[in-house]
Amino acid sequence: MNTGIQDAHNLAWKLALAVEGVAATGLLASYDAERRPVGEEVVGRTVRSAREGIGADSTDPNYVIRREAQLLIDYDASPIVAGTSDQPRPGTRAPDARGLTRDAVTFDLRLFSLLGRIDHTLLFYAGESTTAADQRDWEQLAAAAFAAAYDHLDVYLIADPKADVAETISPIIRDTAGDFARAYHARQGSIFVIRPDGYLGFAQHAPREPDVVEYLRSTFG
């Protein structure tokens, strides 16, 4: 079940872009590149489990449960994954973060509640030392990324509680509990792009605008 659901979601957003005519050449082929190894591993492990018992290859129940739930998948060899971050690594499942706040919202938010299931999501981290020049650079980069993704991109500024970003035009989410910075090892200027299926397509702590645009063009034609 878990494998089939992820098969469907992996293919669905790619088919949607292809039908709309904005998919990059080779985007649909990335489905096979990403999901075939997963399917082969699941089938092989199922055969071994039938012979030896579920979890016979590991004594760590937490690891076994996460693996069976398909939470340990890694698309690092995918042709549509890019970036230089080691933690979190592009191609892995995007971490959640709690304790986020937003002006005029009376309850705390979690990162997963911000993510769409149709469009990509771009997150920019603004540290405590963010300057007006940083904000101008960010807004220029965000505009270029939005255009490269043919508007199929939700953009958020994740800001340190003390960052002075009141003048930005981007939606501001405050990392009030510091959970985002810890989960993403974020520092000033870090950028993350999360795909509709919940995986990190791009993660880089010192990105340049051409890096982000080039990555998006591997997905959007």
Side-chain angles (χ1 to χ4, degrees):
M1 180 189 71
N2 292 325
T3 304
I5 289 172
Q6 292 209 46
D7 281 344
H9 202 175
N10 184 290
L11 184 58
W13 67 266
K14 297 172 182 178
L15 281 174
L17 294 181
V19 169
E20 190 174 337
V22 296
T25 301
L27 178 62
L28 293 183
S30 71
Y31 167 75
D32 185 81
E34 292 180 346
R35 297 303 300 170
R36 180 182 291 274
V38 175
E40 291 175 343
E41 190 276 333
V42 169
V43 171
R45 180 159 38 84
T46 300
V47 172
R48 292 193 299 274
S49 295
R51 294 172 177 168
E52 304 168 12
I54 295 177
D57 59 339
S58 175
T59 59
D60 183 352
N62 180 59
Y63 168 79
V64 172
I65 290 172
R66 292 171 65 207
R67 183 186 63 188
E68 297 299 325
Q70 298 282 284
L71 297 178
L72 300 178
I73 293 171
D74 191 337
Y75 297 143
D76 64 336
S78 169
I80 58 168
V81 164
T84 59
S85 169
D86 290 329
Q87 295 186 14
R89 193 171 67 254
T92 58
R93 186 172 177 81
D96 196 6
R98 299 177 181 271
L100 305 176
T101 59
R102 189 173 186 176
D103 288 349
V105 177
T106 59
F107 52 87
D108 288 357
L109 305 171
R110 55 183 293 191
L111 180 63
F112 279 2
S113 69
L114 300 177
L115 305 182
R117 290 297 178 260
I118 297 176
D119 292 337
H120 284 60
T121 302
L122 187 150
L123 307 173
F124 177 85
Y125 184 74
E128 184 178 350
S129 61
T130 299
T131 65
D134 293 329
Q135 291 180 220
R136 288 193 296 271
D137 290 344
W138 150 246
E139 288 170 356
Q140 178 179 324
L141 187 152
F146 194 71
Y150 294 96
D151 302 349
H152 289 287
L153 189 68
D154 296 323
V155 177
Y156 293 99
L157 182 66
I158 310 294
D160 179 276
K162 297 180 181 179
D164 183 10
V165 292
E167 299 302 320
T168 185
I169 61 174
S170 304
I172 301 172
I173 307 295
R174 292 282 181 180
D175 185 24
T176 302
D179 201 28
F180 180 88
R182 286 189 293 271
Y184 283 78
H185 297 261
R187 49 184 180 265
Q188 175 62 37
S190 294
I191 286 183
F192 310 95
V193 179
I194 302 176
R195 307 182 339 177
D197 55 5
Y199 287 85
L200 276 169
F202 181 87
Q204 198 157 301
H205 294 298
R208 300 177 303 118
E209 181 180 315
D211 298 333
V212 181
V213 171
E214 181 180 1
Y215 155 71
L216 290 170
R217 286 178 175 162
S218 72
T219 294
F220 300 91

